[in-house]
Amino acid sequence: MFKKILVTVDGSSASRRGLFEAIALAADQQATLYVLNVVDGMPASWSHYVDEQFRPRRMQLLLQGLRAMGQRVLDEAHAECRGHVRSVETLLVDARGRTFAEVALEEAHRFGADLVVLGTHGRDGMARLLRNSKTETLLRRADVPVLVVREPRDVKGCHTSSDRSAPRRARAQVRYGGSALPTDEDDRR
């Protein structure tokens, strides 16, 4: 059913959950997995001309750092895919004044993706209002199917994977469609 799956990653625990779901789907469907990191270092209102002509040296250094971080995230994602997915391709794309949703959907169209997968923190209420929801924007604009993988809420006495104070978790394997996938111990609760 799915032959080309695009998953977005940013290094967060929520995006890792999305990545693991995309790996499982790609393994089950024998699909090609495209792993995308969007370098979003400038406001969307900046034009390409402003970007090229008037960017100060500090902005160049910031963007170089963001690109390097994005490449590390992609390298880690590629390593997670090894042995599970038939074919994987990583993509590092500068937003260059475009929104995350625009970039993700452009890349999905460019590769003819059958599905876009992304992890979300699942914020609601004021938290969602104060922080622009990339997931919500992508969902509103998408003309391809989108699978949103939500990070679990913190349960009393338990840590979510995004809690920096949580103890390190042991690696485990989970079966999905005959393929073994790495996950956190907490994922099995």
Side-chain angles (χ1 to χ4, degrees):
M1 180 173 175
F2 299 120
K3 294 299 172 201
K4 296 179 181 179
I5 299 171
L6 176 77
V7 60
T8 63
V9 294
D10 63 9
S12 69
S13 57
S15 80
R16 280 181 59 83
R17 293 179 76 74
L19 174 65
F20 290 149
E21 189 64 30
I23 291 170
L25 282 169
D28 183 61
Q29 301 287 307
Q30 295 296 303
T32 299
L33 186 61
Y34 297 92
V35 184
L36 171 68
N37 179 274
V38 178
V39 178
D40 192 13
M42 287 181 274
S45 61
W46 283 26
S47 71
H48 180 71
Y49 178 76
V50 170
D51 177 35
E52 293 300 320
Q53 300 300 319
F54 299 107
R55 186 177 345 149
R57 178 77 177 132
R58 287 185 184 179
M59 183 58 84
Q60 288 177 348
L61 292 173
L62 170 68
L63 288 173
Q64 286 173 357
L66 290 172
R67 288 183 191 113
M69 264 186 0
Q71 189 59 55
R72 276 195 300 276
V73 168
L74 289 174
D75 291 345
E76 290 170 8
H78 192 272
E80 293 287 354
C81 294
R82 225 176 275 131
H84 302 293
V85 178
R86 174 177 68 102
S87 175
V88 62
E89 190 170 325
T90 59
L91 313 160
L92 182 67
V93 178
D94 282 326
R96 294 204 173 271
R98 297 171 294 168
T99 65
F100 167 82
E102 289 170 336
V103 173
L105 292 173
E106 284 172 15
E107 292 300 313
H109 290 136
R110 187 163 72 98
F111 289 103
D114 305 307
L115 178 69
V116 175
V117 179
L118 65 154
T120 183
H121 297 286
R123 295 182 184 97
D124 56 10
M126 285 301 287
R128 189 179 84 208
L129 188 62
L130 294 173
R131 294 182 178 188
N132 184 16
S133 173
K134 293 178 180 181
T135 302
E136 188 174 346
T137 303
L138 190 136
L139 282 170
R140 274 190 267 124
R141 295 182 180 177
D143 55 355
V144 296
V146 177
L147 173 63
V148 176
V149 181
R150 187 173 181 180
E151 190 172 41
R153 296 225 181 238
D154 193 16
V155 179
K156 188 175 183 177
C158 297
H159 297 288
T160 62
S161 56
S162 65
D163 185 352
R164 295 183 193 276
S165 65
R168 295 198 79 137
R169 294 167 184 85
R171 303 287 290 165
Q173 295 286 318
V174 160
R175 293 268 173 203
Y176 182 93
S179 299
L181 293 175
T183 185
D184 292 333
E185 281 185 30
D186 289 349
D187 291 348
R188 295 183 285 166
R189 288 185 192 177

